[in-house]
Amino acid sequence: MSEPRWLTEPEDRAWRGYRRMRALLDLQFTRDLARDSGLSEADYDVLSTLSETEGHRQQLNDLAAQILWSKSRLSHHITRMENRGLVAREDAPADRRGCFVVLTDAGLRAIVEAAPPHVESVRRHFIDLLTDDQIDTLAAIAQTVVTNLTEPDRPTP
Amino acid sequence: MSEPRWLTEPEDRAWRGYRRMRALLDLQFTRDLARDSGLSEADYDVLSTLSETEGHRQQLNDLAAQILWSKSRLSHHITRMENRGLVAREDAPADRRGCFVVLTDAGLRAIVEAAPPHVESVRRHFIDLLTDDQIDTLAAIAQTVVTNLTEPDRPTP
DNA sequence: ATAAGTTAGATGACACGTCAACCTTCAGGT
DNA sequence: ACCTGAAGGTTGACGTGTCATCTAACTTAT
């Protein structure tokens, strides 16, 4: 293989910009979330996902797949959240290996209180800064990239 | 404060898409980088940044600021990279508190070898999937967000 | 010159994520 | 029924990041 195709100047701007935006947004959301709700982004992901499921419960494996975590990571994190009273584990009815993660009352209260300031934060630092066109383009970009990474790799013929 | 302004449907698509893309890209780049070069993204950031400075060296504090890390994090990480022979610490000439982080020969070799496959990975999973317009829009989005987060906050009048 | 405040960096304790090993239960074939 | 393999989940060790704290060195004002 010869000289690689380095990034062109516009590509480089996009790539570096993306990484810088990513890092700064992450810092900001982490800070805001901790200050406003005492939750981490990880906590928020778990709680908000559970709050959107019917019965406020989901099997550990499914939950992990949905939020793109390893089972191990989720298991550890659920243990910690369980100790804080935000979620609970329940036996799975159909499969005795499985286990459901359930939102507790405290967990539901936590996410209900955390959501509004978090959305405000997302708007202030990100969404409200963009035009409608930019919003749509961002969604399209994400759609493309996610699809490409999610589809099973085809062998190059 | 009344009911928050929840995200509209297009905004929600962009926001969730962004987060999903972010997570998947991160996983992919981490995997590729480890497989191709035995480096972490953190290693890569440090090495590539140093390789772009003249003299292949930069003061720890400046380096931390440039890559948006805490001094503590960088100090820890440099200690580990030092043990692996990728970088070295040098006394700062002007300020006896300070210290320079310097690329070693092994570190330079490592980044020179790691860069081409990494760029390939960035292209395959991200940049090459996008149109020129999307590239430019992404850069513009990042520019806007980064500027907003970087400028000192103005008090709302 | 000296005291007070600031900055560069290191460090140790702790929280989190990953990895590999493990146990249990389920599913398919024989 | 039995064996084999795969899937759901847990666990412990280890690597990494954060936070608070610390030391040393620089700056400024008196």
Side-chain angles (χ1 to χ4, degrees):
Chain A
M1 183 162 305
S2 60
E3 187 71 359
R5 292 159 47 233
W6 301 111
L7 298 185
T8 66
E9 200 267 337
E11 287 168 348
D12 194 58
R13 254 207 313 275
W15 172 236
R16 290 188 197 241
Y18 164 74
R19 305 210 319 144
R20 203 157 191 81
M21 171 177 76
R22 187 187 178 295
L24 285 168
L25 277 181
D26 205 49
L27 283 174
Q28 190 62 48
F29 292 143
T30 300
R31 251 197 310 265
D32 286 356
L33 211 43
R35 172 170 48 72
D36 298 336
S37 333
L39 297 176
S40 66
E41 289 184 281
D43 297 332
Y44 191 93
D45 282 357
V46 170
L47 293 176
S48 69
T49 305
L50 281 179
S51 77
E52 288 174 6
T53 63
E54 95 228 6
H56 290 167
R57 78 196 55 219
Q58 197 161 5
Q59 200 162 332
L60 193 143
N61 197 31
D62 301 342
L63 180 53
Q66 183 163 348
I67 61 185
L68 300 174
W69 288 12
S70 70
K71 285 182 284 186
S72 170
R73 175 181 180 187
L74 184 56
S75 180
H76 279 302
H77 201 83
I78 292 300
T79 301
R80 291 175 223 127
M81 293 181 74
E82 218 174 358
N83 293 335
R84 294 158 61 203
L86 296 171
V87 298
R89 277 185 238 246
E90 275 181 10
D91 288 341
D95 187 333
R96 252 185 311 178
R97 294 168 301 181
C99 104
F100 276 86
V101 184
V102 191
L103 211 53
T104 62
D105 290 353
L108 183 58
R109 240 178 291 124
I111 190 62
V112 165
E113 283 170 21
H118 182 57
V119 175
E120 263 316 305
S121 174
V122 170
R123 282 199 169 283
R124 167 159 39 255
H125 303 300
F126 191 25
I127 295 294
D128 281 357
L129 303 176
L130 310 180
T131 67
D132 290 352
D133 276 359
Q134 287 176 326
I135 295 277
D136 290 343
T137 300
L138 178 60
I141 289 172
Q143 167 78 30
T144 300
V145 173
V146 168
T147 300
N148 177 73
L149 282 169
T150 301
E151 273 176 1
D153 285 348
R154 331 186 176 307
T156 39
Chain B
M1 183 162 304
S2 63
E3 187 70 1
R5 292 158 46 233
W6 301 111
L7 298 185
T8 67
E9 200 268 335
E11 287 167 347
D12 194 58
R13 254 208 312 276
W15 172 236
R16 289 188 198 241
Y18 164 74
R19 306 213 316 147
R20 202 158 193 80
M21 171 177 77
R22 186 187 179 296
L24 285 168
L25 278 181
D26 207 47
L27 283 174
Q28 190 63 48
F29 292 144
T30 299
R31 250 196 311 265
D32 287 356
L33 212 43
R35 173 169 48 71
D36 298 337
S37 335
L39 296 177
S40 66
E41 290 184 280
D43 297 331
Y44 191 93
D45 281 359
V46 170
L47 294 177
S48 69
T49 304
L50 281 180
S51 76
E52 288 174 5
T53 62
E54 94 227 5
H56 292 165
R57 77 197 55 219
Q58 195 161 6
Q59 200 163 332
L60 193 144
N61 196 30
D62 301 342
L63 180 54
Q66 183 164 346
I67 61 184
L68 300 173
W69 288 13
S70 70
K71 285 183 285 186
S72 170
R73 176 181 179 185
L74 184 56
S75 180
H76 279 303
H77 202 84
I78 291 301
T79 301
R80 291 175 223 128
M81 293 181 74
E82 218 174 358
N83 294 334
R84 294 157 61 202
L86 297 171
V87 297
R89 276 183 238 248
E90 276 181 9
D91 288 342
D95 187 334
R96 250 184 312 175
R97 293 168 302 181
C99 98
F100 276 88
V101 184
V102 191
L103 211 53
T104 62
D105 291 350
L108 182 58
R109 241 177 291 125
I111 190 62
V112 165
E113 283 170 21
H118 183 57
V119 175
E120 262 318 302
S121 173
V122 170
R123 282 200 169 282
R124 168 162 37 254
H125 303 300
F126 191 26
I127 295 295
D128 281 356
L129 304 175
L130 310 181
T131 66
D132 290 353
D133 277 358
Q134 287 177 327
I135 294 277
D136 290 344
T137 300
L138 179 59
I141 289 172
Q143 167 77 31
T144 300
V145 173
V146 167
T147 300
N148 177 73
L149 282 169
T150 301
E151 274 175 2
D153 286 348
R154 331 185 176 310
T156 39

